[in-house]
């Protein structure tokens, strides 16, 4: 339960002056595997005194970007249930992928006297002013799954190792096409990335490209469209429809004759469905195309079973929510962020404290990173049903999210 001592202190990240500032969060993302261990126990925070905790309420404000994607609904429900289990009151709001709606909701939660904010940003570049308002009100902010950029008023970031997500996707394509074994054969590949305003999308893409770029450079992989830079292949709001329309055009332009399409890197499940449907309706090559995804949405797991999607990346959202709740509760009661703090939670899964990788354009935000898992038709039941217990087998053999 929540401690009754109302005179706790808050932690916010102290402003850090960078020798080189960046103007946009996406350009601050790194393109190599993060060094998760360096300076892991360094305390880069400062205390500020809470100014509104005497209201007798322990209240968490949660702002999620949308309910249109299955994963965000699960995130919101997991967070709300976990905070309430600890005795917190929760104000959970969804923004419908609208920046102004999210900003207005956060202002309202600040005015309503929430004690901590947990924010999955619609646009991580657009929250600077409202983050300053939270700071002035003595409210710590934890960025959930998406980094909040260009502000020093972010206490921490909880996510998965997003670079590793991309590497898993790239490694799968590499192994499926046996790129290290082939000689004299050229495979055709295309790319569909996520929303360019989502900092995670760049990490996913960079992780995959660090695996695949060497094969493009030596000619084993060919990109007939020439579209292989992040901004060109990005997909606004991770939209299935946008990905579908783009890929219909791409297939009609570059694969209408005898040219085969061998693989498509899709950064997540919603864009993957758009690509899969475009291939189904427009591609006449006759071969099975290697297609990746991420999030293990129920529909995509069905497509893994029937072969339309080749692999997925699973991120246990219950783990992410639990780490977020433990972090918020620790900050709320005056704990210092460190790897030792994570160790004190006695998790039975890996979580790493990273103080180097997530530069948001103003500060390097301390990050709490969990490990993603590759999912295929061969291991999906073992991993998702038997090991994690987060899905159940339905009577028809499909997987459904466990209640």
């Amino acid at each position: 339960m929540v401690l009754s001592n109302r005179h706790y202190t808050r932690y916010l990240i102290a402003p850090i002056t960078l020798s080189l500032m960046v103007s946009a969060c996406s350009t601050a993302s790194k393109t190599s595997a993060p060094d998760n261990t360096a300076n892991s126990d360094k305390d880069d925070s400062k205390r500020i005194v809470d100014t509104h905790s005497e209201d007798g309420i322990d209240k968490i404000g949660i702002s999620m970007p949308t309910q249109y994607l299955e994963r965000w609904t699960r995130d919101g429900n997991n967070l709300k249930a976990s905070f309430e289990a600890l005795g917190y009151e929760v104000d959970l709001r969804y923004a419908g992928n609208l920046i102004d709606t999210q900003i207005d909701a956060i202002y309202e939660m600040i005015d309503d006297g929430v004690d901590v904010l947990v924010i999955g940003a619609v646009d991580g570049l657009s929250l600077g002013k409202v983050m300053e308002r939270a700071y002035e009100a003595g409210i710590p902010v934890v960025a959930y799954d998406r980094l909040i950029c260009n502000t020093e008023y972010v206490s921490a970031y909880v996510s998965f190792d997003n670079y590793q997500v991309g590497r898993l996707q790239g490694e799968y394509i590499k192994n499926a096409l046996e790129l290290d074994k082939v000689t004299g054969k050229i495979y055709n590949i295309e790319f569909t990335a996520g929303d360019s305003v989502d900092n995670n999308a760049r990490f996913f893409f960079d992780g995959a490209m660090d695996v695949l770029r060497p094969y493009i450079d030596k000619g084993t992989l060919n990109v007939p469209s020439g579209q292989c830079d992040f901004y060109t292949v990005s997909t606004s709001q991770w939209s299935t429809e946008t990905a579908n329309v783009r890929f219909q055009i791409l297939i009609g332009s570059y694969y209408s004759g005898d040219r085969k399409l061998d693989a498509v890197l899709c950064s997540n499940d919603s864009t993957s469905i758009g690509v899969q449907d475009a291939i189904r309706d427009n591609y006449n090559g006759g071969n099975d195309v290697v297609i990746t995804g991420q999030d293990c949405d129920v529909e995509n797991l069905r497509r893994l079973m029937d072969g339309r999607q080749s692999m997925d990346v699973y991120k246990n959202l219950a783990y992410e929510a639990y780490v977020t709740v433990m972090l918020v509760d620790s900050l709320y009661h005056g704990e210092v962020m460190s790897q030792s703090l994570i160790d004190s939670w006695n998790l039975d899964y890996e979580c790493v404290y990273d103080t180097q990788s997530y530069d948001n354009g103003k500060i390097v935000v301390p990050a709490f990173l969990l490990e993603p898992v590759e999912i295929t038709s061969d291991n999906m039941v073992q991993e998702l049903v038997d090991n994690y217990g987060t899905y159940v087998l339905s009577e028809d053999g499909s997987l459904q999210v466990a209640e």
Side-chain angles (χ1 to χ4, degrees), residues 311-373:
M311 67 86 70
D312 216 318
V313 177
Y314 179 59
K315 301 183 300 187
N316 191 318
L317 302 182
Y319 288 178
E320 187 176 15
Y322 184 77
V323 167
T324 302
V325 171
M326 294 302 293
L327 172 60
V328 167
D329 192 58
S330 297
L331 294 180
Y332 190 87
H333 295 109
E335 299 290 340
V336 176
M337 292 182 290
S338 67
Q339 185 65 47
S340 298
L341 177 63
I342 296 173
D343 296 341
S344 74
W345 299 336
N346 296 316
L347 305 175
D348 58 3
Y349 45 88
E350 185 175 0
C351 182
V352 174
Y353 183 56
D354 182 330
T355 59
Q356 293 193 337
S357 299
Y358 287 87
D359 182 345
N360 80 345
K362 290 287 188 179
I363 61 170
V364 178
V365 181
F368 293 72
L369 302 178
L370 296 111
E371 286 298 308
V373 177

Side-chain angles (χ1 to χ4, degrees), residues 86-147:
L86 286 179
Y88 290 97
E89 182 178 325
V90 176
D91 184 355
L92 168 63
R93 307 193 192 192
Y94 291 90
N97 262 337
L98 298 174
I99 297 169
D100 289 343
T101 298
Q102 181 165 57
I103 290 172
D104 289 344
I106 295 171
Y107 273 123
E108 289 176 7
M109 286 190 280
I110 293 170
D111 292 340
D112 288 344
V114 298
D115 296 294
V116 183
L117 282 164
V118 176
I119 299 173
V122 174
D123 179 353
L125 293 167
S126 301
L127 300 178
K129 289 184 178 180
V130 71
M131 292 301 93
E132 185 173 1
R133 177 71 185 91
Y135 173 78
E136 291 169 349
I139 301 173
V141 175
V142 174
Y144 183 85
D145 202 74
R146 292 177 174 176
L147 191 62

